[in-house]
Amino acid sequence: RKTIFSMGLNSEQTTLPFFYLIDDVCSFFENVLGKTTYTPIIKEHLIDGTALLLLEDEHLTNIFQMQLGPRLKLLNRISQLKNGDLSAL
């Protein structure tokens, strides 16, 4: 798996979500939701860190076919990231 952590980026870069590679987004979803169910969808749609920060409820409902509970958890974490709260990682 290729991740930002294996690319030799400095510690500041590795904590900024817009530097995330697709595999990092997969890990983020797994960390938030506790499962890898959405990994194929993330990879199919090439969702990197920039795209992660642009995800909205509509995407999680229609593309990911995600139930309400997981959607709320994920959207909350994404909102935290957008507001600079890196503890959401």
Side-chain angles (χ1 to χ4, degrees):
R1 251 169 83 149
K2 183 177 179 183
T3 67
I4 56 174
F5 304 103
S6 67
M7 293 181 61
L9 298 176
N10 68 44
S11 61
E12 181 182 336
Q13 289 172 312
T14 59
T15 59
L16 298 174
F18 57 84
F19 280 104
Y20 280 17
L21 301 175
I22 293 167
D23 283 334
D24 298 309
V25 174
C26 293
S27 295
F28 177 78
F29 268 65
E30 183 177 354
N31 181 45
V32 174
L33 302 175
K35 54 186 173 181
T36 60
T37 307
Y38 302 104
T39 296
I41 298 168
I42 294 166
K43 290 183 176 189
E44 175 186 349
H45 292 279
L46 305 175
I47 299 172
D48 60 8
T50 302
L52 171 68
L53 296 175
L54 297 171
L55 283 177
E56 297 179 355
D57 186 64
E58 179 183 335
H59 303 120
L60 299 177
T61 301
N62 297 329
I63 295 170
F64 288 83
Q65 298 182 353
M66 195 178 285
Q67 293 181 328
L68 180 60
R71 281 197 329 263
L72 293 174
K73 291 176 188 175
L74 196 60
L75 289 170
N76 182 55
R77 288 286 183 99
I78 292 170
S79 176
Q80 290 173 338
L81 291 177
K82 286 179 183 179
N83 291 321
D85 182 358
L86 300 179
S87 68
L89 302 174

